[in-house]
Amino acid sequence: MGLVQISDINGILLTAFYEVQNQLSSIANVQTEILKKVVSLETDVKHILSSSAQSCVNLKSTIPEHPVANIVELTTLENWVSDLATSENHDAMVRYLSIIGQGIVKESVYIILAKLFKNCFAESINCTGKNGKLEFQKSVLLAVVKEAVQLQAASASSATATSDNSSPTIKNPKRKKH
């Protein structure tokens, strides 16, 4: 037992070098495959966003006048949504509103309500109808808003919006300052 010869050390180092080189080549191949998948996913996302935008335009053109500016327009929209002959109107309204929402429930509700009501008319509505205002909690649009927020949240996988956690946001869109 004795000294290790230089040729033995060179052989060991050369073998280790080739093993590292093979591993680096394998890593490069995996990175190339990952990059191909990312590019493919990016293309898919662009396609989905494009079709969602087109879908939103198509849906908007079928929905009656909105944002609503008066009680007549509100009644027209509610009647269209609650048409008993077809649930397509209800479903179309939910899909349209879910597309324009955001990932956060509270923000989605604000954006959706802004698409439904013009500010001047929204001031005459509250959830309970207190102070002589229109009562939103009895409107068929409340269910549509809730479903749209739930659908948007579920599709965004950001949070599960239930009627329990979307109702307080709808009931109290503006916090009272004390």
Side-chain angles (χ1 to χ4, degrees):
M1 311 242 20
L3 300 172
V4 177
Q5 296 195 354
I6 292 182
S7 62
D8 291 340
I9 293 174
N10 284 342
I12 292 170
L13 289 176
L14 192 57
T15 302
F17 173 76
Y18 287 128
E19 287 177 10
V20 168
Q21 196 173 29
N22 286 338
Q23 289 176 352
L24 288 174
S25 178
S26 295
I27 290 171
N29 289 338
V30 169
Q31 287 176 331
T32 301
E33 289 301 312
I34 290 171
L35 183 60
K36 287 178 184 177
K37 289 181 181 184
V38 167
V39 168
S40 175
L41 288 172
E42 183 179 29
T43 302
D44 292 346
V45 167
K46 285 179 182 177
H47 176 71
I48 290 168
L49 290 175
S50 172
S51 59
S52 289
Q54 184 59 43
S55 175
C56 189
V57 168
N58 293 343
L59 288 171
K60 184 176 182 179
S61 66
T62 64
I63 297 170
E65 181 69 29
H66 66 286
V68 171
N70 56 52
I71 190 72
V72 174
E73 291 176 3
L74 176 63
T75 304
T76 301
L77 184 60
E78 286 181 329
N79 289 340
W80 181 83
V81 167
S82 62
D83 183 1
L84 297 177
T86 179
S87 65
E88 290 177 18
N89 294 351
H90 174 90
D91 296 343
M93 189 70 169
V94 169
R95 281 194 316 275
Y96 167 70
L97 293 175
S98 71
I99 291 170
I100 63 173
Q102 297 289 318
I104 299 170
V105 173
K106 186 175 182 178
E107 290 177 10
S108 288
V109 172
Y110 285 135
I111 291 168
I112 289 170
L113 290 177
K115 286 289 184 183
L116 284 177
F117 304 111
K118 290 188 176 178
N119 284 341
C120 58
F121 186 62
E123 292 173 355
S124 66
I125 302 170
N126 65 28
C127 195
T128 60
K130 288 184 181 177
N131 301 322
K133 295 186 176 191
L134 296 173
E135 186 175 359
F136 190 62
Q137 71 184 2
K138 290 186 179 177
S139 172
V140 296
L141 294 178
L142 177 61
V144 170
V145 170
K146 285 182 178 183
E147 289 177 46
V149 171
Q150 290 169 347
L151 179 61
Q152 194 285 324
S155 67
S157 299
S158 60
T160 303
T162 64
S163 58
D164 289 342
N165 69 8
S166 59
S167 289
T169 306
I170 294 171
K171 287 182 184 176
N172 301 311
K174 295 180 182 175
R175 301 261 185 232
K176 292 183 180 180
K177 295 180 182 177
H178 297 285

